[in-house]
Amino acid sequence: RRAWEGFVDTAISSPYAINKSMAVGVLAERDLQFVEARGLAPDSGVIYVEDRMFIGPKAERHARAGNALTRAEWIALPDDLTNAQVLWDTKNQTLLYVMPSQDGRESKLVIAFNRFNKPTDLSKNQAASAFKVTEADIESGIKNGQYERVR
C-alpha cells in the first residue's frame, strides 16, 4: 500500500509523465472469466496504472471538467477495486470498475486489455481512463445497452 501511495505522489508531483506504471490490483477470477467469454484473452489478471493517468492531456482535461479523481481517491483505489461494481462496456470491449467517490458521484476506472506499451515492448491490462460520473450516467448506460453488469 505504501508503494502505491508513493507511486501516486511521485506521479502527481512530477512535471511530466515518464512512462512508469504500477500494478493497482488483480482482476477477480469471475471478471477474468467474463472477459474471456467475450473472446478476449488477457495475458494476465494484473491491472496497471501508468503515470500519464495523473499528469498529461487526459488528466488535465478531467481536472478542467471537474471530474478528476482526488489524491485520496487514487490512494484508496487498490482497496476500492475489491468492492467495486463491475460493468462491461459492450462498445469499447473494456471493463469498468465503478466505486463511490468522496463527493457523492461515482469513480469510474476503465480497463483496456493487452494494451501494447512501446517503451517496454510489453502488453498489459492498463487503466485507460479514470474519472467521476453520476449514478444516473451509469444507469443510463446500462439501460441503453452500452454497459452490461458483470457483478
Side-chain angles (χ1 to χ4, degrees):
R1 169 102 175 173
R2 281 191 280 175
W4 172 251
E5 187 171 344
F7 174 75
V8 170
D9 286 341
T10 299
I12 288 172
S13 65
S14 177
Y16 51 86
I18 56 173
N19 292 320
K20 294 289 183 188
S21 64
M22 184 169 192
V24 68
V26 178
L27 295 168
E29 184 63 30
R30 62 183 170 221
D31 300 344
L32 192 55
Q33 290 171 350
F34 184 93
V35 169
E36 289 171 343
R38 298 302 179 276
L40 295 176
D43 292 338
S44 78
V46 180
I47 302 168
Y48 291 90
V49 173
E50 292 182 322
D51 59 357
R52 67 177 178 77
M53 297 294 295
F54 305 94
I55 189 164
K58 192 178 265 192
E60 291 168 9
R61 185 178 75 235
H62 288 302
R64 281 192 308 274
N67 63 8
L69 273 60
T70 65
R71 175 191 177 276
E73 288 164 337
W74 279 112
I75 298 297
L77 193 58
D79 294 330
D80 290 348
L81 285 174
T82 61
N83 297 315
Q85 174 183 200
V86 181
L87 304 172
W88 176 249
D89 185 321
T90 59
K91 178 181 176 188
N92 297 308
Q93 304 286 286
T94 55
L95 274 184
L96 311 178
Y97 284 79
V98 181
M99 304 142 286
S101 72
Q102 296 172 345
D103 64 6
R105 292 181 284 176
E106 305 288 326
S107 295
K108 180 171 89 170
L109 182 72
V110 179
I111 308 299
F113 298 97
N114 297 338
R115 290 183 86 177
F116 184 73
N117 183 303
K118 192 171 182 176
T120 62
D121 287 334
L122 298 173
S123 65
K124 52 190 171 186
N125 306 324
Q126 293 180 355
S129 67
F131 55 96
K132 296 178 190 181
V133 296
T134 66
E135 189 174 334
D137 293 333
I138 297 296
E139 290 305 319
S140 175
I142 292 169
K143 190 174 184 178
N144 72 28
Q146 180 179 353
Y147 304 145
E148 179 181 343
R149 289 190 195 278
V150 177
R151 61 176 169 95

